[in-house]
Amino acid sequence: MENFIHSFQVSPEVCDGLIEYHKTNTEYKSKGIVGNRVRNYVKESTDVTFFKNSTDPIIQQYLSELHKAFIEYTTHFKIQTLALEPELGNNIQYYPPGGGYKQYHWERTNNSYNRQLVYMTYLNSVDNGGTEWLYQELKIDAVKGLTIIWPADFAWTHKGIVSPDQEKWIATGWFKYA
């Protein structure tokens, strides 16, 4: 049976550029928020929001590669008529050793009902890191450039696999109806 989780590859140069964007950004940087507040026992991260209308070249290059991945996803599942676009704000997230999104969750909740698909790109490779989907009984390793797209609903409940001794960088966001 199909699990509707599909992967693609983003260039290593874009991954490096997104990490640098995170490191040098001060305007949109904050501790990771869950439910409108910092909860390190749930999610321990430093997030930088980037916007789909950004003029930054690395953000535009990433969004271009992400668009190709979206087209491949919709073609693979024969849903080319799905009129979705990235949400306005998306995130580059840094997880320190021992940090991560530690609890199971899904992406379509009360305030995010318009989210249809989730995307995530691993910006670096992490031993004993990655993502785990509960109901699909699936674990995917964090490999630099690997981009995953999957449905946003509760059936795709997932969490990060926390590395005790390595940092992890991801870019993540959502596709919503245009």
Side-chain angles (χ1 to χ4, degrees), residues 6-72:
H6 203 64
S7 63
F8 316 88
Q9 196 65 34
V10 167
S11 70
E13 296 79 19
V14 168
C15 294
D16 294 341
L18 291 173
I19 290 173
E20 187 61 27
Y21 181 89
H22 184 287
K23 287 180 177 180
T24 60
N25 187 294
T26 56
E27 186 175 14
Y28 301 111
K29 187 176 280 185
S30 66
K31 292 292 181 191
I33 302 292
V34 176
N36 297 323
R37 61 185 164 142
V38 173
R39 298 176 190 194
N40 282 339
Y41 64 94
V42 176
K43 178 186 175 196
E44 183 180 349
S45 67
T46 302
D47 300 355
V48 167
T49 300
F50 68 92
F51 299 91
K52 70 177 183 180
N53 56 0
S54 170
T55 58
D56 186 277
I58 198 66
I59 298 298
Q60 285 305 307
Q61 189 175 352
Y62 178 61
L63 290 173
S64 175
E65 291 192 34
L66 188 61
H67 178 73
K68 291 175 189 170
F70 173 76
I71 296 301
E72 186 176 324

Side-chain angles (χ1 to χ4, degrees), residues 19-171:
I19 290 173
E20 187 61 27
Y21 181 89
H22 184 287
K23 287 180 177 180
T24 60
N25 187 294
T26 56
E27 186 175 14
Y28 301 111
K29 187 176 280 185
S30 66
K31 292 292 181 191
I33 302 292
V34 176
N36 297 323
R37 61 185 164 142
V38 173
R39 298 176 190 194
N40 282 339
Y41 64 94
V42 176
K43 178 186 175 196
E44 183 180 349
S45 67
T46 302
D47 300 355
V48 167
T49 300
F50 68 92
F51 299 91
K52 70 177 183 180
N53 56 0
S54 170
T55 58
D56 186 277
I58 198 66
I59 298 298
Q60 285 305 307
Q61 189 175 352
Y62 178 61
L63 290 173
S64 175
E65 291 192 34
L66 188 61
H67 178 73
K68 291 175 189 170
F70 173 76
I71 296 301
E72 186 176 324
Y73 185 93
T74 60
T75 300
H76 177 81
F77 293 113
K78 298 174 180 57
I79 52 173
Q80 293 94 329
T81 59
L82 198 57
L84 301 179
E85 64 184 12
E87 277 195 10
L88 178 62
N90 301 273
N91 293 302
I92 301 167
Q93 299 176 338
Y94 166 75
Y95 299 116
Y101 209 124
K102 303 169 185 177
Q103 292 186 0
Y104 282 113
H105 64 284
W106 63 91
E107 303 297 328
R108 190 182 315 160
T109 58
N110 293 343
N111 297 329
S112 55
Y113 63 90
N114 200 24
R115 294 175 179 170
Q116 302 303 309
L117 296 172
V118 184
Y119 71 85
M120 178 178 53
T121 301
Y122 298 109
L123 302 180
N124 67 323
S125 295
V126 180
D127 298 329
N128 301 317
T131 306
E132 178 180 354
W133 283 265
L134 178 63
Y135 302 118
Q136 289 73 21
E137 299 179 355
L138 175 67
K139 293 180 182 180
I140 294 180
D141 294 331
V143 176
K144 184 176 185 172
L146 183 65
T147 300
I148 316 292
I149 297 178
W150 71 91
D153 221 341
F154 72 93
W156 289 269
T157 296
H158 60 285
K159 68 177 181 176
I161 299 170
V162 175
S163 172
D165 54 5
Q166 290 184 305
E167 60 187 18
K168 180 165 65 172
W169 296 85
I170 67 168

